[in-house]
Amino acid sequence: MRRIDVNRIKKFFGVASAGVLMAGVLVGGTVATAGTAHATPSDCQRYLQDRGYSMTSDRIDGCAYGARDGIVRLFCVALLNNSGVSQSHTETACRLAAA
């Protein structure tokens, strides 16, 4: 199984999102951003802890990414899977983060 280089992915999406933001500013003049008031990374963390997983920095970051909108949520799955969380627990935890 190939390990995902999360830093490389973060860098790619950081550059890509900066380009999209700049394009939006150039085309539309402004870009509106909305926070995710409904996002609950703590529910994700609590779910994992209740299943016996310790909270590592990757798991905390994964739950935080799960609470964000858009493609960034994929980092939740990648970080949790790479940190040893089972697939079924990962799916539920990331869904709880996004709830």
Side-chain angles (χ1 to χ4, degrees):
M1 181 175 194
R2 228 173 87 171
R3 181 155 169 79
I4 296 172
D5 185 352
V6 176
N7 290 330
R8 191 172 177 186
I9 294 171
K10 286 180 186 178
K11 184 177 178 180
F12 170 77
F13 281 113
V15 171
S17 63
V20 170
L21 179 63
M22 206 49 178
V25 170
L26 292 174
V27 172
T30 61
V31 175
T33 58
T36 55
H38 64 281
T40 54
S42 61
D43 287 343
C44 170
Q45 293 174 13
R46 192 172 16 259
Y47 173 82
L48 293 173
Q49 287 175 324
D50 289 348
R51 270 119 198 105
Y53 296 102
S54 60
M55 283 295 96
T56 64
S57 60
D58 279 349
R59 291 174 184 159
I60 291 168
D61 290 346
C63 287
Y65 281 120
R68 295 184 176 181
D69 287 331
I71 197 164
V72 176
R73 279 195 186 143
L74 295 176
F75 288 127
C76 180
V77 173
L79 286 170
L80 295 184
N81 278 336
N82 283 342
S83 72
V85 176
S86 74
Q87 184 64 36
S88 64
H89 289 158
T90 293
E91 291 171 5
T92 302
C94 292
R95 188 172 61 250
L96 287 170

